Amino acid sequence: MGDSNYSKAYIQALIDELKTSKIYTDLQCAAQVDLAKPTLRLSELKKGVLNGLVNSGWDRKLRNAIYRFLQTNPKLQAPTPPPEHLKEPLVYLRKAQQSWEKRILKSLNSMCTELNIPLARKRPEKDQKEWAQKWTELGIDGPDVDFIWRTCNKYLSQIRPVYAPKDFLEVIIGLQNPNYHGSDTPGFYHLWGIVQVPLKVKDIDELRLQYSDMSINQCQSGIDDAQDIPSELFEQERVKLGKKVISANHGPLAQEFSKKGCPTSMRATLWCQILAIEVDEIDILYYEQLKTNVLQHELLVDSLLYKDVKLTATNDDQYFVFEDFLYQVLLPFSRDTHVLKHFDYNSASPPKSYIRGRLGMEEFAVNYPPNGVIPFHGFAMYGMYR
């Protein structure tokens, strides 16, 4: 962190983030273990503890945690602009974003009104027991789709997607910069393409430099290890290097390696290192709590997810076999409040609803769905490309 570009406030924010994370308490416990070693001399106390932490791999874990913070928290400029300006500095784009979010929420509420169903409700105890029993019988992370079909509400056939990617594209096409004039005025011209927002983008030479790892003279996993090419020419060396990268357990290194593709057998491990993910007992308990939330409460988005799976994955020749799996993943995801952190550095805002009878009272406003993401047509397919 010796880079002068990082302000004191930014470094302090990093320290505060680390102090509230699990790695901070884990480091303290590891340091106490090293302090208790009888071979440690009092005169070399600090040096001995540091060496012990390094030898145990804690320095890499700390670096990965810092790397993750740097990736998700852009450096703040001085003076610090308002939060909404930091997310999206252009006023007309902020207004378009707000208008789009209101449109989505209005569509969702209109569907509730037409079908006379609530956004959320507690499942009857009988249904809770049936879901829990089915969960246990199958020995998997969620009930199968046929069982969901039998327990979903009778309005499912009337449920429609809130919006589709095509609707979002139409909104983007309609965006116009009020400070930019088109070809109606002599000397001006329309921009190429259907999107007419004049944003500064990199030229062809800058793009070539940025994506130099994808140059035609660079081998790529998934392309140059195809069946018609002898595997010993590329695949074996790539796998051998990948094993070294995984053993190093360093996020930036895994990211650099993955720029040329990930061998299929290493993809999950490499992505966990890139995203600084380590599944521990707390994560498992949290997932169990999400499943409990699914059992206890029924959300309108459950029907939206089911309908989307039926309209997309079920009709796909390659993905129809994952129909059950998709629903089992997406149900807990819709209850995962950790996803809300995404909105801290994103121009969007999580949709909100009000507790029944408290409309318009901000103290009774809640995020809906709990993860802040309203499913759209095709949303289920994102689960296949995870």
Side-chain angles (χ1 to χ4, degrees):
M1 297 297 293
D3 190 344
S4 59
N5 291 329
Y6 293 103
S7 64
K8 291 182 179 180
Y10 187 82
I11 296 175
Q12 186 60 48
L14 168 60
I15 294 173
D16 293 340
E17 176 73 16
L18 291 175
K19 284 185 176 180
T20 57
S21 65
K22 183 176 179 294
I23 193 174
Y24 183 76
T25 55
D26 289 343
L27 276 170
Q28 285 184 322
C29 294
Q32 290 176 358
V33 171
D34 287 320
L35 282 172
K37 293 181 179 178
T39 57
L40 190 63
R41 295 181 181 180
L42 187 61
S43 58
E44 300 179 350
L45 189 63
K46 181 178 180 180
K47 183 179 179 181
V49 172
L50 289 175
N51 289 337
L53 293 175
V54 171
N55 295 334
S56 301
W58 283 104
D59 63 325
R60 290 179 181 176
K61 293 182 180 181
L62 181 59
R63 289 178 182 180
N64 287 336
I66 295 174
Y67 168 74
R68 184 179 183 181
F69 179 87
L70 297 179
Q71 294 296 311
T72 57
N73 295 270
K75 290 184 291 185
L76 302 179
Q77 304 295 328
T80 305
E84 60 274 12
H85 291 196
L86 190 63
K87 291 181 175 183
E88 176 50 66
L90 298 178
V91 177
Y92 76 98
L93 289 183
R94 287 205 304 273
K95 289 182 178 179
Q97 175 80 56
Q98 294 169 1
S99 176
W100 170 250
E101 291 170 355
K102 290 179 180 178
R103 173 180 168 181
I104 295 174
L105 201 55
K106 182 179 179 181
S107 176
L108 190 66
N109 288 326
S110 297
M111 184 161 50
C112 288
T113 303
E114 292 172 11
L115 303 179
N116 193 27
I117 55 176
L119 290 171
R121 60 186 172 190
K122 189 174 181 179
R123 295 189 193 276
E125 291 187 9
K126 180 182 178 181
D127 289 350
Q128 292 185 35
K129 292 179 180 178
E130 286 188 44
W131 277 61
Q133 183 179 359
K134 191 67 176 179
W135 226 306
T136 305
E137 288 176 357
L138 295 173
I140 52 179
D141 291 331
D144 65 292
V145 172
D146 290 334
F147 177 74
I148 294 168
W149 170 260
R150 294 194 301 271
T151 56
C152 278
N153 62 68
K154 60 183 179 181
Y155 301 102
L156 192 56
S157 59
Q158 303 176 52
I159 294 290
R160 62 182 183 275
V162 177
Y163 70 96
K166 182 181 178 181
D167 301 322
F168 187 57
L169 177 60
E170 291 176 353
V171 172
I172 295 177
I173 294 174
L175 289 175
Q176 294 289 337
N177 188 339
N179 299 320
Y180 180 81
H181 299 283
S183 58
D184 294 335
T185 304
F188 289 89
Y189 56 90
H190 281 296
L191 299 173
W192 288 3
I194 59 176
V195 178
Q196 294 292 301
V197 179
L199 299 176
K200 179 176 174 57
V201 296
K202 295 183 178 181
D203 59 32
I204 188 65
D205 292 327
E206 291 173 327
L207 290 173
R208 283 174 179 162
L209 180 62
Q210 180 174 350
Y211 297 103
S212 58
D213 292 311
M214 300 179 68
S215 175
I216 193 172
N217 62 349
Q218 299 289 329
C219 293
Q220 292 282 334
S221 294
I223 299 177
D224 298 293
D225 52 359
Q227 294 180 359
D228 57 341
I229 301 176
S231 60
E232 60 270 11
L233 294 179
F234 177 69
E235 183 181 10
Q236 291 181 358
E237 288 298 321
R238 190 68 178 160
V239 171
K240 184 178 179 180
L241 179 59
K243 290 179 179 179
K244 292 181 179 179
V245 171
I246 289 175
S247 63
N249 190 27
H250 191 38
L253 184 61
Q255 185 180 40
E256 285 300 314
F257 174 81
S258 301
K259 287 181 179 180
K260 295 185 179 180
C262 303
T264 305
S265 59
M266 301 178 176
R267 191 170 296 166
T269 305
L270 287 168
W271 273 106
C272 283
Q273 290 187 2
I274 293 172
L275 300 175
I277 296 174
E278 291 185 12
V279 179
D280 53 23
E281 293 82 0
I282 295 178
D283 296 320
I284 295 174
L285 287 173
Y286 181 69
Y287 181 67
E288 292 296 328
Q289 181 60 51
L290 292 178
K291 292 201 298 185
T292 302
N293 292 342
V294 173
L295 293 175
Q296 293 178 345
H297 296 89
E298 178 185 351
L299 306 182
L300 175 63
V301 294
D302 295 347
S303 298
L304 289 173
L305 289 171
Y306 175 79
K307 193 68 174 283
D308 188 54
V309 171
K310 279 294 185 184
L311 293 175
T312 55
T314 305
N315 297 323
D316 192 285
D317 293 339
Q318 297 182 4
Y319 299 121
F320 73 95
V321 293
F322 300 106
E323 184 178 351
D324 291 349
F325 175 80
L326 278 171
Y327 206 81
Q328 295 152 17
V329 169
L330 295 175
L331 271 175
F333 173 77
S334 65
R335 275 79 170 172
D336 188 1
T337 55
H338 282 190
V339 181
L340 293 172
K341 294 181 180 179
H342 170 75
F343 295 99
D344 293 341
Y345 48 89
N346 184 278
S347 61
S349 301
K352 293 183 180 294
S353 184
Y354 295 90
I355 297 175
R356 181 174 294 181
R358 306 290 183 176
L359 183 63
M361 302 175 67
E362 287 301 322
E363 60 269 26
F364 294 100
V366 294
N367 294 315
Y368 182 87
N371 68 347
V373 180
I374 296 178
F376 52 87
H377 179 63
F379 180 78
M381 298 304 289
Y382 283 83
M384 299 309 306
Y385 305 130
R386 70 197 188 286

